[in-house]
Amino acid sequence: MDVLGLDIGGANLKAAHSSGLAHSLPFALWKTPALLPDALDRLLQEMPPFDALAVTMTGELCDCFESKRQGVLAILEAVTAVAQQAPVQVWCHEGHFIDATAARATPLQVASANWLALATFAGRYAPKGPALLIDIGSTTTDIVPLLDGRPQPAGRTDLERLHSSELLYTGIRRTPLCALLGGYGAAEVFATTLDVYLLLDFLPEDPTDNNTADGRPATKICAEARIARMLCADRETSTAEERGRLATLAWGNQSMLLGEAFHRVARRLPALPQTILYAGEGEFLIQDALEDQKGVPPCRVVSLCRELGPAISRAACAYAVAILAAEKG
């Protein structure tokens, strides 16, 4: 069975086909929720034909919705509108699929369950012993402990996962820089981590991308201007050295934050991890963060980017639900 997986977030829509093709589309759901069906339709047109849709989501948290329940229902309505008569399967917190009717009846059971789908799929790359799955995306980081290939989360809701450090609201594009500077710099959303990693050459420039703090393009020159504003300055009244120091400080603080969380989650395993699974477009941050923490020693590393390609790694949760649904039949 050919399955198309969808991971519907607040800032990005991600699709992956069970044949191995994946595509990601920036979409600010919180700004234009009514346009979600149109955006999904455009995304589906980029993908091969499918027999079924497998769906997971995090976009229900967007503040355009009055509640998570309302958000899930709105997303499900948009998905069924573009499903082309194909059956829709929705991944839930219990670790299996339910149909769209059941998902509408129990919307909170399918809210923000994408991390569990990825962990269930990725466990095949660490079938023996303790392991950690680390998925760093544009907005958040998921850290999931595994044992003998099976997820061992301390909690399943966002709140439980935040308390256990298995969910961190920090990523490589959308995190406001003021959250990482410890009071050094303006407490304003003048810049985000996208600007740091553009300036430091971890992320490529994209002049067509205006999903930035000031709406100007995702280029190094514009990133410098946004970072300069964190110093209450601009490119004329700050130096390249000053802007570079601020970017490096944010990078170091984010790496430390991540490393401490890796350590806390790893300590709950029955033994130190034997395998670390990398996923997401923020894979480049993981090794630096691990090196900051002696509690997570060098061990076997599996990069989903190397195993499956960068497009699938970026849309890893969508690919996970596609493969899990195809295997289920």
Side-chain angles (χ1 to χ4, degrees):
M1 183 170 68
D2 289 325
V3 179
L4 182 66
L6 293 176
D7 182 15
I8 300 172
N12 297 282
L13 306 178
K14 298 175 182 179
H17 196 271
S18 52
S19 65
L21 183 66
H23 185 61
S24 299
L25 175 70
F27 178 70
L29 175 59
W30 77 94
K31 293 181 179 178
T32 55
L35 297 182
L36 179 59
D38 294 337
L40 287 173
D41 190 53
R42 291 197 306 274
L43 183 60
L44 265 57
Q45 290 176 23
E46 299 286 332
M47 305 304 293
F50 52 88
D51 303 308
L53 279 176
V55 180
T56 188
M57 68 186 77
T58 58
E60 75 285 343
L61 190 59
C62 289
D63 56 10
C64 59
F65 304 120
E66 292 183 5
S67 65
K68 282 190 171 187
R69 182 182 300 273
Q70 184 191 65
V72 170
L73 295 176
I75 289 169
L76 290 175
E77 182 178 357
V79 170
T80 53
V82 301
Q84 305 170 11
Q85 307 301 315
V88 176
Q89 303 178 64
V90 188
W91 185 260
C92 74
H93 285 162
E94 301 302 316
H96 58 79
F97 290 102
I98 58 178
D99 63 27
T101 300
R104 290 189 192 95
T106 58
L108 297 183
Q109 289 300 309
V110 301
S112 298
N114 61 349
W115 61 273
L116 183 58
L118 178 57
T120 302
F121 164 76
R124 66 194 65 195
Y125 293 100
K128 297 288 186 182
L132 284 183
L133 165 67
I134 302 170
D135 178 15
I136 303 180
S138 64
T139 309
T140 61
T141 296
D142 291 301
I143 309 166
V144 187
L146 299 101
L147 185 62
D148 296 335
R150 295 179 178 275
Q152 304 290 314
R156 295 184 182 247
T157 68
D158 279 352
L159 183 58
E160 291 168 343
R161 299 184 66 239
L162 281 168
H163 286 168
S164 68
S165 296
E166 292 178 12
L167 170 63
L168 279 74
Y169 252 83
T170 192
I172 63 162
R173 289 179 180 268
R174 300 190 64 243
T175 302
L177 219 54
C178 55
L180 296 171
L181 295 178
Y184 184 78
E188 178 59 86
V189 188
F190 285 138
T192 68
T193 44
L194 169 63
D195 300 307
V196 168
Y197 298 120
L198 282 171
L199 193 62
L200 299 178
D201 293 320
F202 286 108
L203 291 176
E205 295 181 286
D206 183 356
T208 68
D209 180 6
N210 293 316
N211 291 306
T212 61
D214 62 1
R216 294 184 176 90
T219 61
K220 288 184 73 170
I221 287 178
C222 290
E224 281 193 84
R226 289 187 286 266
I227 288 174
R229 280 183 168 79
M230 294 300 301
L231 296 167
C232 300
D234 54 27
R235 293 181 67 242
E236 179 183 5
T237 56
S238 65
T239 66
E241 183 181 7
E242 288 169 333
R243 298 189 292 268
R245 279 202 304 267
L246 191 74
T248 301
L249 174 65
W251 172 31
N253 286 349
Q254 189 175 41
S255 292
M256 184 171 62
L257 176 71
L258 290 166
E260 290 171 350
F262 299 163
H263 188 193
R264 285 194 295 271
V265 176
R267 283 187 304 178
R268 292 199 294 270
L269 285 164
L272 291 174
Q274 297 174 10
T275 305
I276 304 288
L277 305 172
Y278 293 5
E281 60 176 331
E283 280 195 14
F284 65 84
L285 270 182
I286 297 174
Q287 192 58 48
D288 285 335
L290 287 172
E291 287 174 355
D292 286 341
Q293 293 295 315
K294 296 183 174 62
V296 184
C299 59
R300 176 173 172 261
V301 169
V302 177
S303 161
L304 294 190
C305 184
R306 287 195 295 269
E307 293 287 331
L308 301 171
I312 290 179
S313 181
R314 184 172 183 181
C317 295
Y319 186 68
V321 289
I323 294 302
L324 292 170
E327 292 175 347
K328 171 178 169 281

